[in-house]
């Protein structure tokens, strides 16, 4: 049996970061922080359903809370004259308490067509609207490849098309090297709540290698061939 691991979890120590970044050695504080993070994410996802939110990063310190909302529509998040984001800050402050300094920043997603979470939510929304699943999946693949993705894989599972028996459909274009740790893989999943039942959607997008293998090998070879003074001069020039 194969063991399926999330690409984000597999690359946390290499090129991915935790969605929640804080530390505490108190067990009660740890539990309360986890519950608060989950409540904040669920609330913001529900309130910003039309803002195309890709992910929410939460950073904590003992007296400060910083929330970064990555969205493809920052105007919807901010609202007219900042009214919407102020309303959200007040609601989040009621969740975490008034004793902490709260800062909420919108971060614009420059290319939403290669964001796996946004693609998964878009396909799920189309399935709820009774658009053909093959059409939605092929359309998403075409837009991602035209927007610069090196590869994409989409899986939909459930009662597709209202069929009596559930099944699983998969489409793929390009390459998606999930086992290569230097590859930048974006993963997203969503659920479409249709009249026939729930349909799960998973998306993997390959955006390229963070450190190409040939470049890394050439750098190591050139560094090993240099004499110590030459290597020191090269390092000083690189810093400049």
């Amino acid at each position: 049996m194969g063991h399926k691991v999330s690409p984000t979890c597999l690359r946390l120590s290499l090129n991915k970061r935790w969605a929640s970044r804080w530390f505490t050695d108190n067990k009660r504080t740890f539990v309360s922080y986890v519950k608060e993070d989950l409540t904040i994410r669920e609330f913001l996802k529900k309130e910003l359903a039309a803002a195309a939110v890709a992910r929410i990063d939460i950073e904590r310190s003992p007296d400060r809370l910083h929330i970064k909302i990555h969205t493809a529509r920052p105007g919807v998040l901010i609202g007219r004259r900042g009214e919407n984001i102020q309303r959200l800050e007040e609601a989040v402050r009621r969740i975490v308490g008034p004793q902490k300094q709260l800062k909420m920043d919108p971060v614009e997603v420059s290319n939403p067509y290669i964001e796996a979470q946004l693609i998964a939510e878009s396909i799920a929304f189309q399935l709820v609207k009774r658009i053909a699943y093959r059409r939605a999946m092929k359309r998403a693949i075409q837009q991602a490849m035209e927007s610069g993705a090196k590869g994409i894989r989409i899986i939909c599972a459930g009662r597709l098309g209202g069929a009596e028996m559930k099944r699983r459909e998969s489409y793929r274009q390009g390459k998606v090297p999930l086992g290569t740790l230097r590859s930048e893989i974006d993963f997203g999943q969503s659920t479409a709540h249709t009249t026939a039942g729930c349909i799960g959607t998973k998306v993997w997008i390959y955006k390229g290698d963070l450190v190409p293998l040939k470049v890394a090998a050439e750098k190591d070879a050139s560094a090993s061939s240099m004499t110590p003074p030459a290597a020191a001069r090269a390092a000083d020039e690189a810093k400049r």
Side-chain angles (χ1 to χ4, degrees), residues 51-64:
V53 177
R55 65 183 185 275
I56 300 173
D57 295 335
I58 299 176
E59 298 179 358
R60 290 178 180 269
S61 62
D63 57 347
R64 187 171 175 270

Side-chain angles (χ1 to χ4, degrees), residues 21-40:
R21 294 186 285 274
W22 44 264
F23 174 79
T24 179
D25 54 357
N26 190 331
K27 185 181 295 185
R28 293 184 179 180
T29 306
F30 183 89
V31 173
S32 64
Y33 280 0
V34 171
K35 289 182 178 179
E36 284 183 4
D37 290 357
L38 182 61
T39 305
I40 290 171

Side-chain angles (χ1 to χ4, degrees), residues 107-122:
V107 180
E108 184 177 3
V109 176
S110 58
N111 193 353
Y113 294 113
I114 59 174
E115 286 291 332
Q117 184 62 34
L118 296 182
I119 294 174
E121 292 178 359
S122 175

Side-chain angles (χ1 to χ4, degrees), residues 201-212:
T201 305
K202 292 184 178 181
V203 179
W204 294 262
I205 294 182
Y206 172 50
K207 299 181 180 180
D209 292 341
L210 296 177
V211 181

